[in-house]
Amino acid sequence: LERIPRVGSVVLDAMGVLYQVGDDVHDLLIPYVRRKGCRTSNAGIEEIYASCILGHFSSTELWRQIGVPGDTNDIEQEYLSLHRTNPGLHVFLQRLQQLHIQILCLSNDVKEWSVKLRRMHNLEPYFSSWVISGDVGARKPDPEIYKMLGKVLKGLPQESLFIDDNARNLPPAKQVGLIPVLFAGPMKMASPDEWPIASSFKEVEGWILRSNA
């Protein structure tokens, strides 16, 4: 990463950045509901999920439409317990707090799942804002959700790192002035790309320390 301005904010994606699995639909949700006897097609599940992460209905309705039998609260808790945070996340968040850097999350997610996961993994104390597609009715890479993020940034966009594991979400971030970073993470390799690539939170921390020195 070329020398960047002083970093005042860090915006983190959830799936693939906070949590290890980036494609939670194909890697977690579909395998989980198949084990539960769900017969809805993969395309049908994707369509239901896409509507839910735009806030069209609740997670309870999502389970009903997908066709997973049983108590929805128990099903949801069991499913969400499959998510794991990426290595080094909590240490990274603690360091950002010590450096007085604003921490935000911008994520495409079911609103109920986002809240439950952040509480399950004790993430809420670190974040000043959560801009979640299920809450705001727009999803990345729609420019509208990036504008909503801009409303809760306390500093200048050009002093904000935007870290996402999906390259298609980076151009709109750059268009609003954010500094885009592709997060490969320790669990996978990233192919060469036009974007700066971070393989770990420790690497991002190093960039920030050098920029803010």
Side-chain angles (χ1 to χ4, degrees), residues 79-189:
Y79 168 68
L80 294 177
S81 71
L82 301 174
H83 290 76
R84 301 286 184 271
T85 56
N86 261 316
L89 173 63
H90 283 83
V91 172
F92 177 63
L93 296 176
Q94 290 163 10
R95 287 291 289 135
L96 293 182
Q97 277 196 335
Q98 292 166 2
L99 295 168
H100 305 291
I101 290 173
Q102 183 190 20
I103 310 170
L104 308 94
C105 179
L106 180 68
S107 178
N108 295 340
D109 204 354
V110 175
K111 60 182 179 181
E112 293 90 352
W113 294 359
S114 176
V115 172
K116 289 181 179 180
L117 279 172
R118 71 183 81 150
R119 292 176 179 172
M120 188 181 298
H121 294 281
N122 194 31
L123 299 179
E124 282 191 320
Y126 300 103
F127 287 78
S128 63
S129 295
W130 298 77
V131 182
I132 307 299
S133 63
D135 288 318
V136 301
R139 60 179 295 183
K140 297 179 291 182
D142 182 346
E144 192 61 33
I145 196 169
Y146 298 84
K147 295 176 185 176
M148 296 174 185
L149 171 69
K151 294 177 181 178
V152 293
L153 270 178
K154 293 179 181 176
L156 298 172
Q158 54 266 36
E159 296 178 348
S160 302
L161 290 182
F162 173 76
I163 303 173
D164 200 299
D165 70 316
N166 192 332
R168 71 174 186 171
N169 295 330
L170 299 181
K174 186 175 183 179
Q175 288 169 7
V176 297
L178 300 166
I179 304 166
V181 175
L182 182 65
F183 190 76
M187 309 304 291
K188 61 182 179 181
M189 295 293 293

